[in-house]
Amino acid sequence: MSATGLGTAPCRFAHYFVVCGIDTETGLEPDELAGENFEQSPLRRTFKSKVLAHFPETIEWNPFDQDAVNMLCMPKGLSFRTQVDNRESQFHSYLITREDGSRTYGFVLTFYEEVTSKQICTAMQTLYQMHHAEHSGSVCASSSCSMDSLASSLDEGDATSLNKLHCCSSYNMSRDTLYVSKALCLITPLPFMQACRKFLTQLHRAVSSQQPPPLPLESYIHNILYEVPLPPPGRSLKFHGVYEPIVCQRPSPSELPLADYSLKQVFELLGVENLVQVFTCVLLEMQILLYSQDYQRLMTVAEGITTLLFPFQWQHVYVPILPASLLHFLDAPVPYLMGLQSKEGTDRSKLELPQEANLCFVDIDNHFIELPEDFPQFPNKLEFIQEISAVLLQFGIPPEGSLHSSESTTQLKSLALHDLVSDKKNGNLPGDALAVFELLQGNATLERLQALAKRTGVTVGRVPTLGGNMVKEKDGRLQCEEEELRDATLNVQVREVFANRFSQMFADYEAFVIQSATDLESWLTNREQMHNFDKASFLSDQPEPYLPFLSHFIETQMFATFIDNKIMSQWEDKEPLLKVFDSRIEKMRLYNVRIPNLCSSNYQKSTILKESAQSIEQRLMKIDHTAVHPHLLDMKIGQGKYEQGFFPKLQADVLAAGPTNNNRWASRTGTAQRRKDRLRQHSEHLGLDNDLREKYMQEARSLGKNLRQPKLSDLSPAVIAQTNWKFVEGLLKECRMKTKRMLVEKMGREAVELGHGEANITGLEENTLIASLCDLMERIWSHGLQVKQGKSALWSHLLQYQEREEKLEQTAVSPVLLGPERRKSETGLTMPFLRVSLFQDMRHIQNVSEIKTDVGRARGWIRLSLEKKLLSQHLKQLLSNQALTKKLYKRYAFLRCEEEKEQFLYHLLTLNTVDYFCFTSVFTTIMIPYRAVIIPIKKLSNAITTSNPWVSVSGELGDSGVMQIPKNLLEMTFDCQNLGKLTTAQIGHDNSGLLAKWLVDCVMVRNEITGHTYKFPCGRWLGKGVDDGSLERILIGELIIPCADEDLSKQCRTPPLQRSPAQTRRISITSPAGRNSKPNAVQIQEAIGEAVNNIVKHFHKPEKERGSLTILLCGENGLVSALEQFFHHGFKSSRIFQKNVFVWDFIEKAVAYFEMTDQIGDTVEGMESFRSMCKIFCHYVNAINVTPRNIGKDGKLQFLVCLGARDHLLLQWIPLLVECPLITTMYEEYALLRDHLMVNSLIRVLQTVHEFNITLESSLVKGITL
């Protein structure tokens, strides 16, 4: 090539022209990689194709990849036909993604050319004779006939029809003419699909026409390669094909990027609802497999959906047409978007896919999709579908799609099949019949007419509207241009609807971008450690219905890359898509000022549909540029020879080089390119080294970024092994990053202090991270499987392990004992040991009837193991059976890489340092077995009471109701719907029998599935005439944190053994050891301040992040406890020779006094408000006194404080008690309640609590009617 040609390549419309076909010198080579069946007739087998010619030889910025181009031009290799077969040309396109993420597009027209080589014909004859001899006695059962566009309509059950069709695939050299496929391909930098299709179609028309073309074909190919430029942004271009001019246009930098694939066809193939569901799967980076017989359909759907992602871009493996030789790539344990050609007669059930847990399967030909489980819906999905449907209906496209399955299409299938068998055309319809078929496909009335005609013996003639004879050529061209304009208008309007949704959802995204680095180099170096987006704050700002989708989406690689591009725009030019998106948001703000800037779930339609369509219309109607016309080249006489039906051997000397420097366009763009090169080199010297930067970027982004497209040029075992090794490394890295993120988010403030950035995790975000871990584990277990087993590879492995090992469980599995079971009370009574094993946890999941699928069971088991802190241990045990692992997995599988497997288990082990309730909080409706143990204080009372004891347990999700404890037993088990985290337990008895008084140390309750054990400290008597006379008590629960070793128990968060928390809290002198610990005034003030502070913090957290308010009110360091201490300070409770007096006695006397003064009827000014306060106070106290519950005096005081806090009355009640004259007789002078400064300070502190709406647990207010 000349220097000019090299210099202008990036601005050229086309980079390469390629011809692929049969190499007559090497002859017929079977394509073993395509995996074709040798049972088939030789005419139906796959043979290797070759690149016969390509021009130019190579260009610097897009080197020619011969193997990849050959494989994608002819994905199934060479096809042979005879004169009785359908030999219509077929068009398809493909793309190759280079390592830097840039794309090159290929457009291919495949046609059939007569085989003139006797050697090839003889070889085919010999192969056929051998095949016929082998199968002469039997009918081959495989449905191997090539049906082109019709195979999907064949019903597998009709074996007779298939056999008849199969018999037609014969070849006799003396009788038949042999044809072979040949492909013409244009490779371009931008997807000008319509223009390339027209150019190739005209080129083929010139070959098949009886008249030679006006100029040799070399002239047209040279013109499009070297003389047709790319249209400038925002302009249109006209260039000339063989017979007609061709127009293409390119959007301006402020418009949506170029998309030439017809969205009309995508909606016709899938329907709106299916498309939105697949689109959501793509956004959430699941594995998407497109399935169709037609390569162009695969490409159209893949490109259509990825086009709609604006402003985001697919970041992972993207292979819209997966060649037969690369099927092992479906084993990739990464998100992918791939297209697989379906074979004739193969239905979905026969398709063996390595992993399906996270797969979205799209059967394009049958209008059918399979979605993954636990799939969040796209926000405002219903209104979104309605808006898209409205646009489609304006263009006459039914929103449900044109290929919607119905009774009429079933009739059509049988009709078409009958035609196939009777036409002796080997399963291929001729052009006219195919046109009728296509017309019938969408029209039930015409179908019935066709069926009627068949029955009555009437022959249906050609359909004139499809034949094209009625329309003059010029009018036809106008009609074609009009249709092209309609398609382009539809494309842009539908894309605007999608773009508008993201503009609405992410209108304020910039506010949450964290710009922490000072320069590009430091940012790239520390990219992995940095938090670039404030996810928790962003989610807290979003409408509730959006959260399930958005919490998943902001974890994707495409969103991370979008934010990376935003941060890098500080130092570099903005990425084009980001530039367009940001300008749209800016425009939206100008037109639609939102103050305050809050997100709303109200659906807002796109308002710029007409405006966006107008710019395209103007460009197509008014051409901006016209390229140089094709012209005669400097060819020797005799070159460019024309022979009808044969594509000529092109003259390499005239096509290898571009025009000379006198071409104004070439010299101009060449100069511009040289200027660009100088600037690029200069910036590389000044800034960060380009290689280093690429290294950082590749490391910073996920594995899929490096493996966007499989390497097609080398398929040796070594290369496949190397690819799998990259997968293993990528999976391990992903595991490390996910577990680290889970730890950092969960550790919260501690993580911030350690320098990991701000970490505020919400319940929703935590659930998203765990779901993401489940997905990663499914991909790890799917990697390198020998044979696919069920939809969940992990659950399948567990079941096989269970089957092998369960018999040996008693001897092989040592019980794992949880820490709390080792704790003993003063009585020596403790919780029985909880045997924990891998199989036990599997049985728990198998017994959950709510989980219906293997994928669901695997996820449930992961969540349960994570909550029990046994995930790493269980998986280590599972993988210890190496014989089973070898049987299930290939050598290169992740689970057979010892070092990586150990690191993986170690990363999972680190999750044991934080507490998860990911099983309890998700499976809220399942039945769970609980075990309760009552532990009395033996030294001071009877171990067992003669009365009838009962217990009731409450949690965040509900309560168990009152349950009688069997007599003479201190332990019971009960089944109950999941209570969630346990908060309170009520214990009591009916005071019957001689030994009715009972001193209870605590109640222990354990969830028998998760192993979580809660302790409910009591330390008080139950019985009349002892302590405060209570027959029932409300106990506040605390989760016992298991310790690894008995010696560590002193360091753990579990309260010390020597005292019950209740004893420091309830300062009743009748309670055991109560006299020993009376806090002073300063300690009481601190306790009240801390309790109020904790409640304020509670309400400032997002709602889903808040813990239990009951513990903050009534727990060991709660508000009730602190106020009890305040009321007890200086209280004259001891009486010589008399019963002890309680604070509640003072409150009752105060009520009696207030009621008496109310009757006196003092008319002093200002007394009215005082009286109304007194009335309310007396009403609450009397309501508590008349409750049917047998609550003691301290319990009643607890009720009063809780109700006062709930109804914002404490501030009014405390001054009442201070003003009551009885205070002088019942409190010492130094008491806090008699110190006006202290009381005023208390009221000021309590005012902060009164700003919040406090909701009390039902167990705290049961039986009290106000």
Side-chain angles (χ1 to χ4, degrees):
M1 272 183 77
S2 69
T4 314
L6 282 167
T8 59
C11 293
R12 294 203 315 239
F13 180 87
H15 285 180
Y16 293 102
F17 179 80
V18 186
V19 183
C20 296
I22 191 166
D23 185 349
T24 49
E25 290 178 14
T26 55
L28 292 179
E29 288 184 82
D31 191 355
E32 290 159 16
L33 282 170
E36 287 294 334
N37 184 2
F38 284 96
E39 295 287 305
Q40 295 173 338
S41 158
L43 280 179
R44 302 292 163 243
R45 290 181 198 166
T46 301
F47 297 92
K48 282 184 185 175
S49 61
K50 294 274 174 70
V51 172
L52 303 179
H54 70 277
F55 307 101
E57 192 61 36
T58 190
I59 51 177
E60 188 186 334
W61 19 77
N62 183 12
F64 188 73
D65 186 341
Q66 185 158 305
D67 293 320
V69 170
N70 179 41
M71 202 177 278
L72 290 166
C73 282
M74 305 189 104
K76 285 187 75 178
L78 296 170
S79 290
F80 284 92
R81 297 279 188 275
T82 62
Q83 76 282 357
V84 296
D85 293 328
N86 172 32
R87 301 189 306 283
E88 282 194 4
S89 60
Q90 298 262 321
F91 175 84
H92 79 270
S93 52
Y94 64 83
L95 65 81
I96 295 176
T97 310
R98 292 194 289 270
E99 284 184 16
D100 63 355
S102 60
R103 291 173 178 176
T104 298
Y105 292 83
F107 302 97
V108 186
L109 187 87
T110 307
F111 64 98
Y112 287 89
E113 197 174 72
E114 188 181 333
V115 178
T116 53
S117 163
K118 277 199 171 179
Q119 182 191 350
I120 302 288
C121 294
T122 309
M124 182 60 74
Q125 173 86 34
T126 308
L127 284 171
Y128 178 73
Q129 285 169 350
M130 288 164 64
H131 171 78
H132 185 67
E134 284 172 22
H135 297 83
S136 56
S138 64
V139 178
C140 181
S142 67
S143 56
S144 59
C145 301
S146 172
M147 307 252 179
D148 299 330
S149 63
L150 201 65
S152 59
S153 68
L154 279 175
D155 183 23
E156 247 186 307
D158 198 339
T160 321
S161 308
L162 287 171
N163 289 338
K164 284 182 187 175
L165 287 166
H166 182 76
C167 292
C168 299
S169 55
S170 60
Y171 175 63
N172 186 321
M173 195 171 161
S174 58
R175 181 191 68 208
D176 297 319
T177 309
L178 190 63
Y179 295 87
V180 67
S181 55
K182 182 174 268 190
L184 306 179
C185 173
L186 266 182
I187 294 176
T188 65
L190 290 175
F192 290 109
M193 196 265 291
Q194 303 290 359
C196 292
R197 184 176 198 154
K198 286 179 184 175
F199 180 82
L200 292 172
T201 305
Q202 290 185 39
L203 214 56
H204 175 245
R205 191 170 132 205
V207 171
S208 53
S209 171
Q210 291 181 358
Q211 298 297 320
L215 294 170
L217 293 185
E218 283 86 347
S219 294
Y220 303 103
I221 294 165
H222 182 275
N223 178 251
I224 201 166
L225 282 179
Y226 303 113
E227 294 170 335
V228 177
L230 279 176
R235 296 280 184 268
S236 54
L237 171 79
K238 182 165 83 172
F239 65 94
H240 291 266
V242 182
Y243 299 108
E244 294 158 12
I246 297 166
V247 176
C248 58
Q249 59 87 31
R250 190 174 171 190
S252 70
S254 62
E255 293 176 71
L256 293 174
L258 176 67
D260 211 21
Y261 285 86
S262 169
L263 288 175
K264 172 189 171 185
Q265 196 181 347
V266 179
F267 283 105
E268 284 176 342
L269 291 168
L270 294 182
V272 179
E273 182 144 7
N274 280 350
L275 185 130
V276 170
Q277 296 286 57
V278 177
F279 175 71
T280 310
C281 287
V282 173
L283 283 171
L284 299 177
E285 295 187 338
M286 296 173 172
Q287 292 179 321
I288 293 94
L289 184 63
L290 308 175
Y291 193 62
S292 171
Q293 282 207 317
D294 188 323
Y295 293 127
Q296 187 57 15
R297 282 184 177 182
L298 294 172
M299 189 72 186
T300 302
V301 172
E303 279 292 284
I305 288 173
T306 51
T307 295
L308 297 172
L309 293 175
F310 170 88
F312 308 103
Q313 291 169 286
W314 180 256
Q315 298 295 320
H316 299 277
V317 176
Y318 183 59
V319 192
I321 297 174
L322 187 67
S325 54
L326 286 181
L327 288 184
H328 65 274
F329 231 78
L330 290 171
D331 200 19
V334 291
Y336 60 66
L337 176 47
M338 295 203 234
L340 184 65
Q341 197 208 22
S342 55
K343 291 182 183 176
E344 303 85 13
T346 305
D347 62 5
R348 167 72 181 93
S349 60
K350 291 189 177 178
L351 191 64
E352 287 283 324
L353 297 171
Q355 47 198 343
E356 295 188 37
N358 206 33
L359 180 75
C360 171
F361 182 81
V362 185
D363 187 342
I364 297 171
D365 299 338
N366 293 314
H367 200 85
F368 165 74
I369 60 170
E370 276 177 32
L371 294 169
E373 293 179 28
D374 304 331
F375 175 68
Q377 296 298 329
F378 192 74
N380 295 113
K381 181 184 157 192
L382 192 62
E383 295 96 324
F384 186 43
I385 285 175
Q386 284 169 352
E387 187 181 2
I388 301 165
S389 301
V391 174
L392 294 177
L393 288 168
Q394 285 176 12
F395 290 86
I397 300 163
E400 68 276 7
S402 298
L403 298 178
H404 199 61
S405 55
S406 64
E407 195 182 335
S408 56
T409 45
T410 315
Q411 292 167 1
L412 174 66
K413 283 182 182 183
S414 57
L415 188 73
L417 184 65
H418 185 270
D419 276 347
L420 281 172
V421 176
S422 59
D423 77 345
K424 302 283 186 264
K425 294 282 176 65
N426 202 22
N428 295 289
L429 289 175
D432 304 338
L434 189 63
V436 173
F437 171 72
E438 284 170 354
L439 179 73
L440 287 175
Q441 237 178 342
N443 193 314
T445 312
L446 285 175
E447 281 170 39
R448 288 196 291 275
L449 283 171
Q450 172 80 345
L452 182 66
K454 279 279 168 193
R455 286 200 299 275
T456 54
V458 178
T459 310
V460 178
R462 291 186 62 172
V463 182
T465 53
L466 292 168
N469 293 338
M470 286 175 68
V471 186
K472 289 181 184 175
E473 199 173 315
K474 190 177 178 185
D475 293 342
R477 194 156 71 236
L478 286 171
Q479 196 177 341
C480 179
E481 284 166 8
E482 195 179 312
E483 193 178 331
E484 200 176 311
L485 179 60
R486 277 173 62 82
D487 277 3
T489 309
L490 169 67
N491 266 21
V492 77
Q493 290 198 0
V494 169
R495 291 172 69 204
E496 286 293 354
V497 173
F498 279 79
N500 178 58
R501 288 312 305 131
F502 290 122
S503 301
Q504 299 290 344
M505 278 193 278
F506 294 98
D508 304 316
Y509 85 96
E510 285 180 78
F512 304 97
V513 175
I514 302 166
Q515 311 245 15
S516 49
T518 52
D519 59 85
L520 180 60
E521 188 168 355
S522 66
W523 182 79
L524 288 169
T525 310
N526 302 303
R527 165 71 189 86
E528 220 171 275
Q529 285 74 41
M530 286 185 175
H531 283 260
N532 291 337
F533 192 73
D534 185 354
K535 294 175 182 175
S537 302
F538 174 75
L539 289 175
S540 67
D541 227 18
Q542 303 308 309
E544 185 78 20
Y546 289 15
L547 295 179
F549 170 80
L550 285 176
S551 62
H552 282 77
F553 179 66
I554 62 174
E555 296 295 332
T556 60
Q557 186 62 45
M558 73 172 76
F559 185 76
T561 304
F562 175 75
I563 298 299
D564 285 355
N565 288 337
K566 180 66 183 173
I567 292 170
M568 286 171 65
S569 67
Q570 296 173 87
W571 306 291
E572 293 186 343
D573 288 342
K574 262 190 190 176
E575 194 269 335
L577 294 187
L578 179 68
K579 198 173 182 178
V580 178
F581 187 66
D582 280 355
S583 68
R584 280 167 173 250
I585 288 175
E586 201 58 47
K587 205 172 182 182
M588 201 166 75
R589 285 193 187 132
L590 289 172
Y591 288 122
N592 182 20
V593 181
R594 293 184 295 166
I595 302 171
N597 221 356
L598 291 173
C599 291
S600 158
S601 60
N602 293 336
Y603 190 84
Q604 291 177 305
K605 289 185 176 182
S606 175
T607 54
I608 57 167
L609 297 185
K610 285 183 181 173
E611 180 191 321
S612 58
Q614 277 168 0
S615 51
I616 287 191
E617 198 171 323
Q618 284 165 5
R619 281 198 295 273
L620 286 175
M621 300 307 281
K622 186 188 172 191
I623 307 302
D624 298 304
H625 300 282
T626 303
V628 176
H629 281 244
H631 50 86
L632 272 172
L633 300 173
D634 187 14
M635 293 169 69
K636 294 169 190 170
I637 296 168
Q639 289 187 343
K641 189 181 169 189
Y642 171 77
E643 191 178 348
Q644 187 189 352
F646 293 93
F647 193 80
K649 186 176 179 183
L650 300 170
Q651 303 305 315
D653 53 345
V654 293
L655 291 177
T660 53
N661 255 339
N662 59 8
N663 183 318
R664 282 182 303 160
W665 163 71
S667 59
R668 185 168 71 250
T669 51
T671 311
Q673 185 62 35
R674 284 194 292 278
R675 194 183 304 120
K676 269 188 187 174
D677 288 347
R678 281 201 301 275
L679 281 170
R680 182 167 55 84
Q681 287 163 6
H682 182 60
S683 64
E684 278 174 15
H685 285 303
L686 289 176
L688 180 66
D689 177 67
N690 215 34
D691 293 342
L692 180 67
R693 177 184 157 180
E694 186 59 30
K695 174 175 169 266
Y696 283 136
M697 287 307 286
Q698 286 195 354
E699 283 178 3
R701 291 171 181 168
S702 73
L703 172 73
K705 195 83 177 169
N706 299 328
L707 290 167
R708 283 202 188 90
Q709 170 102 359
K711 187 73 176 165
L712 305 179
S713 53
D714 188 353
L715 291 169
S716 64
V719 169
I720 293 172
Q722 189 182 357
T723 305
N724 278 296
W725 178 244
K726 279 187 180 178
F727 285 145
V728 169
E729 285 182 322
L731 288 168
L732 183 62
K733 181 182 176 185
E734 197 179 338
C735 178
R736 175 170 58 80
M737 291 176 78
K738 272 190 167 56
T739 50
K740 180 184 172 185
R741 169 88 195 282
M742 287 170 74
L743 283 172
V744 167
E745 299 283 23
K746 196 73 172 161
M747 287 161 70
R749 190 161 296 286
E750 292 171 47
V752 175
E753 286 163 9
L754 293 169
H756 290 293
E758 188 166 346
N760 261 336
I761 192 161
T762 63
L764 185 78
E765 206 173 343
E766 178 181 306
N767 198 37
T768 304
L769 290 173
I770 291 166
S772 173
L773 179 71
C774 293
D775 166 46
L776 171 66
M777 289 180 65
E778 279 292 359
R779 285 190 279 126
I780 285 173
W781 256 261
S782 298
H783 183 241
L785 268 177
Q786 297 274 17
V787 181
K788 188 198 144 208
Q789 317 256 351
K791 283 207 168 186
S792 168
L794 173 58
W795 189 250
S796 169
H797 193 171
L798 283 165
L799 288 174
Q800 293 194 50
Y801 180 71
Q802 184 183 32
E803 197 181 318
R804 284 185 169 216
E805 303 280 328
E806 208 160 19
K807 294 167 188 172
L808 308 168
E809 187 185 357
Q810 298 304 317
T811 53
V813 180
S814 59
V816 178
L817 305 176
L818 298 183
E821 284 66 53
R822 297 175 184 171
R823 298 164 52 85
K824 291 194 175 181
S825 69
E826 295 168 31
T827 62
L829 187 69
T830 182
M831 274 278 185
F833 289 142
L834 180 67
R835 178 183 285 273
V836 177
S837 76
L838 170 64
F839 304 125
Q840 188 62 44
D841 288 345
M842 283 183 70
R843 283 188 214 108
H844 285 318
I845 298 299
Q846 285 163 327
N847 292 335
V848 176
S849 59
E850 284 85 348
I851 306 176
K852 310 287 185 192
T853 63
D854 284 354
V855 173
R857 290 183 190 100
R859 290 182 178 181
W861 182 84
I862 291 168
R863 285 177 178 275
L864 178 59
S865 304
L866 190 59
E867 186 165 324
K868 294 175 85 165
K869 304 192 177 187
L870 293 170
L871 183 58
S872 181
Q873 183 183 316
H874 279 348
L875 293 176
K876 190 173 185 177
Q877 185 184 335
L878 173 68
L879 297 170
S880 64
N881 188 329
Q882 291 187 347
L884 179 61
T885 310
K886 281 181 182 175
K887 178 191 163 192
L888 294 177
Y889 291 92
K890 295 169 186 165
R891 180 64 198 91
Y892 61 74
F894 182 96
L895 297 177
R896 289 189 62 187
C897 299
E898 290 304 317
E899 195 178 321
E900 284 69 26
K901 184 175 73 181
E902 287 302 315
Q903 288 183 55
F904 163 68
L905 293 172
Y906 169 75
H907 291 316
L908 292 180
L909 186 63
T910 61
L911 296 176
N912 289 5
T913 56
V914 289
D915 300 325
Y916 283 104
F917 289 87
C918 49
F919 179 82
T920 305
S921 61
V922 168
F923 298 100
T924 53
T925 59
I926 64 173
M927 295 299 288
I928 288 183
Y930 291 91
R931 183 180 296 274
V933 176
I934 292 95
I935 300 175
I937 300 176
K938 254 186 176 178
K939 292 176 184 175
L940 301 175
S941 80
N942 311 304
I944 293 175
T945 178
T946 54
S947 56
N948 299 305
W950 56 267
V951 71
S952 173
V953 181
S954 300
E956 290 179 351
L957 300 175
D959 69 83
S960 65
V962 172
M963 298 173 294
Q964 295 297 325
I965 301 168
K967 274 203 170 183
N968 302 325
L969 288 178
L970 294 171
E971 185 183 328
M972 66 179 291
T973 56
F974 60 94
D975 285 350
C976 179
Q977 186 169 309
N978 187 358
L979 300 173
K981 293 179 190 174
L982 302 187
T983 50
T984 62
Q986 297 164 68
I987 185 170
H989 62 76
D990 62 0
N991 206 41
S992 61
L994 295 170
L995 304 172
K997 296 169 187 176
W998 201 20
L999 181 58
V1000 176
D1001 177 40
C1002 66
V1003 176
M1004 308 271 280
V1005 181
R1006 182 173 70 205
N1007 179 322
E1008 294 290 274
I1009 290 181
T1010 65
H1012 288 315
T1013 306
Y1014 293 82
K1015 184 180 179 183
F1016 299 87
C1018 179
R1020 302 288 295 268
W1021 285 92
L1022 289 165
K1024 290 286 182 191
V1026 65
D1027 202 338
D1028 66 345
S1030 181
L1031 288 183
E1032 67 175 91
R1033 294 199 183 277
I1034 298 171
L1035 312 177
I1036 309 302
E1038 56 191 32
L1039 178 66
I1040 296 174
I1041 307 299
C1043 298
D1045 196 280
E1046 195 66 43
D1047 300 331
L1048 294 176
S1049 62
K1050 291 170 189 172
Q1051 301 165 24
C1052 77
R1053 285 182 278 168
T1054 309
L1057 300 182
Q1058 61 270 26
R1059 62 182 174 82
S1060 168
Q1063 292 158 14
T1064 60
R1065 184 153 62 82
R1066 297 189 170 84
I1067 319 289
S1068 165
I1069 58 168
T1070 52
S1071 66
R1075 301 180 188 85
N1076 302 337
S1077 51
K1078 287 189 178 179
N1080 60 37
V1082 175
Q1083 288 171 326
I1084 291 169
Q1085 277 182 297
E1086 285 176 357
I1088 291 171
E1090 190 184 338
V1092 168
N1093 200 19
N1094 287 337
I1095 291 171
V1096 171
K1097 281 182 189 171
H1098 170 88
F1099 282 103
H1100 275 96
K1101 289 178 183 175
E1103 196 171 335
K1104 292 189 176 180
E1105 213 178 311
R1106 297 171 187 171
S1108 168
L1109 186 59
T1110 303
I1111 291 170
L1112 299 181
L1113 284 172
C1114 306
E1116 184 182 353
N1117 299 311
L1119 182 63
V1120 172
S1121 158
L1123 287 175
E1124 278 181 358
Q1125 290 174 9
F1126 187 90
F1127 284 120
H1128 275 293
H1129 188 262
F1131 184 67
K1132 298 174 183 177
S1133 57
S1134 298
R1135 298 284 187 276
I1136 300 170
F1137 308 120
Q1138 290 179 26
K1139 282 184 178 178
N1140 290 325
V1141 183
F1142 293 84
V1143 173
W1144 191 254
D1145 292 321
F1146 163 62
I1147 285 170
E1148 283 182 326
K1149 286 180 180 180
V1151 166
Y1153 169 77
F1154 294 142
E1155 286 174 340
M1156 186 181 71
T1157 52
D1158 188 44
Q1159 288 166 4
I1160 292 167
D1162 200 334
T1163 55
V1164 178
E1165 197 178 321
M1167 283 298 286
E1168 278 305 311
S1169 62
F1170 180 76
R1171 274 186 184 160
S1172 67
M1173 280 192 269
C1174 288
K1175 272 186 180 176
I1176 293 167
F1177 179 67
C1178 297
H1179 176 61
Y1180 272 75
V1181 173
N1182 292 331
I1184 291 168
N1185 270 331
V1186 299
T1187 178
R1189 296 174 69 174
N1190 293 303
I1191 297 290
K1193 291 179 178 178
D1194 279 353
K1196 289 176 179 177
L1197 178 63
Q1198 179 177 312
F1199 275 1
L1200 187 67
V1201 173
C1202 285
L1203 290 168
R1206 182 192 74 180
D1207 298 338
H1208 305 156
L1209 294 168
L1210 285 176
L1211 299 181
Q1212 298 169 17
W1213 291 350
I1214 291 169
L1216 288 180
L1217 294 172
V1218 170
E1219 295 300 320
C1220 181
L1222 296 168
I1223 197 169
T1224 54
T1225 58
M1226 301 195 77
Y1227 279 88
E1228 306 286 357
E1229 271 189 43
Y1230 64 83
L1232 291 174
L1233 202 58
R1234 291 181 66 178
D1235 184 333
H1236 284 277
L1237 284 174
M1238 286 293 191
V1239 170
N1240 287 336
S1241 171
L1242 172 66
I1243 289 170
R1244 280 197 303 275
V1245 170
L1246 289 177
Q1247 270 175 335
T1248 55
V1249 177
H1250 282 216
E1251 296 170 16
F1252 307 111
N1253 292 321
I1254 291 172
T1255 307
L1256 297 177
E1257 203 174 295
S1258 59
S1259 61
L1260 297 176
V1261 291
K1262 194 161 65 177
I1264 299 171
T1265 47
L1266 294 167

